[in-house]
Amino acid sequence: MSRVVALGECMVELAPATNGLFAMGYAGDTFNTAWYLRHRLPASVEVSYVTAVGVDAVSHEMLRFMADEGIDTRHVAHVTGRTVGLYMIHLKNAERSFSYWRSTSAARLLADDTSRLDAALSGATLAYLSGITLAILAPDARARLAAALATARAAGTRIAFDTNIRPALWSDPDTMRQTLMATAAAADIVLPSFEDEARHFGDADPAATAARYGRAGARLVVVKDGPNPVITLAAGGPVTAHAIPAPVTAVVDSTAAGDSFNAGFLASQLEGADLATAVTAGATLAARVITGPGALVRSAVTAVS
């Protein structure tokens, strides 16, 4: 059986609802991708999530939600004295900003147990992580995670990495850039977003982003750029622009646009599709997601089932 393993932090999400109220859910960049992968892939493919939670009620409720959604939680660590993080979405003209409460997040300890990591990654077809996964970890934990991923990759696991740059989570910009580049160099698929890359690496255009990660050693780079063409670069091949479906005019909430693109793209790749088809699959799913509120839009996965 094929296995997909996503690693990172799932949080309590408070998303704007009606009359000034908020709807509670569970979300986080790599978890969002895992959730969309679970709904996009056949049941024969196992989707696992690797994180750490507390032993309190909200942690148990989160794990029950994951299990109810069909996501394997066998490799989630339970940490006494910690809990899960929380974030609130603020929307202005469909663009989002966030407020976070995560100082006691157990997910910061997700790479503390190397045997748990190795067991989670053993035999995985694909492992997926993000820049946020790395940013929340202490330096020694990042090193443990990198070693576990290298072992899994040597055994045949493909590594997919969304750089997802969040400078507020890092100790300093140089550490952030160096860690992102090193992780991308050890990945099979890198999924950056041009806006972030231009701001923090100074790339002139999406092709420059693709070329930079390609030079670092990434085997396939897929650069997202909002409604603009997706730029790809496969090892030994040319930079290619892929037109995406017509832009969405009635955007409700751009939360998880990139996360859902990654899920659609990776699911299509796992099913053996060519690069252009996978890009279209990612863009199509993301276009549906941004027409609904919050990170996990059930109508989007129902529409593409």
Side-chain angles (χ1 to χ4, degrees):
M1 180 173 65
S2 296
R3 292 183 60 237
V4 177
V5 178
L7 306 97
E9 181 179 27
C10 185
M11 306 175 72
V12 173
E13 175 193 78
L14 297 179
T18 57
N19 299 322
L21 300 177
F22 287 79
M24 182 180 127
Y26 304 101
D29 68 332
T30 58
F31 178 74
N32 301 341
T33 299
W35 188 85
Y36 284 109
L37 280 167
R38 174 65 286 157
H39 287 275
R40 174 65 177 75
L41 290 167
S44 58
V45 179
E46 182 178 87
V47 177
S48 297
Y49 197 63
V50 176
T51 190
V53 299
V55 295
D56 55 342
V58 69
S59 296
H60 289 300
E61 289 168 5
M62 176 184 286
L63 291 183
R64 185 162 55 248
F65 171 78
M66 292 182 185
D68 288 347
E69 294 297 315
I71 295 173
D72 169 44
T73 61
R74 288 174 297 163
H75 304 290
V76 173
H78 298 260
V79 183
T80 301
R82 294 271 184 154
T83 186
V84 297
L86 178 149
Y87 74 93
M88 178 183 292
I89 299 173
H90 308 279
L91 286 175
K92 184 176 181 180
N93 299 324
E95 286 302 317
R96 77 273 196 238
S97 60
F98 304 95
S99 296
Y100 291 97
W101 296 265
R102 70 198 316 174
S103 60
T104 59
S105 171
R108 296 176 182 272
L109 309 179
L110 70 87
D112 280 15
D113 185 340
T114 54
S115 61
R116 185 187 299 274
L117 273 180
D118 290 339
L121 293 167
S122 178
T125 308
L126 178 75
Y128 173 76
L129 73 158
S130 76
I132 293 177
T133 308
L134 300 171
I136 65 172
L137 301 178
D140 57 341
R142 284 183 211 136
R144 287 192 292 272
L145 178 56
L149 290 169
T151 298
R153 193 183 190 205
T157 299
R158 296 178 76 196
I159 308 299
F161 175 53
D162 183 337
T163 54
N164 211 352
I165 302 174
R166 297 293 183 268
L169 295 176
W170 293 89
S171 59
D172 62 86
D174 287 341
T175 298
M176 177 185 75
R177 286 189 286 263
Q178 291 166 9
T179 305
L180 295 176
M181 290 301 295
T183 306
D188 297 282
I189 305 171
V190 179
L191 297 146
S193 296
F194 173 64
E195 182 179 3
D196 289 342
E197 302 293 327
R199 181 179 300 118
H200 300 291
F201 284 93
D203 296 334
D205 52 44
T209 298
R212 175 168 50 82
Y213 286 119
R215 288 192 301 270
R219 295 180 183 177
L220 173 62
V221 186
V222 182
V223 185
K224 298 159 286 186
D225 188 20
N228 301 314
V230 172
I231 301 299
T232 63
L233 176 63
V239 172
T240 304
H242 302 263
I244 63 174
V248 177
T249 56
V251 178
V252 172
D253 183 352
S254 59
T255 303
D259 305 331
S260 56
F261 174 94
N262 295 348
F265 177 85
L266 293 171
S268 189
Q269 283 261 295
L270 287 166
E271 293 169 340
D274 61 31
L275 190 53
T277 301
V279 168
T280 298
T284 299
L285 180 55
R288 295 183 184 278
V289 167
I290 62 178
T291 63
L296 308 183
V297 181
R298 204 167 295 274
S299 60
V301 291
T302 302
V304 297
S305 298

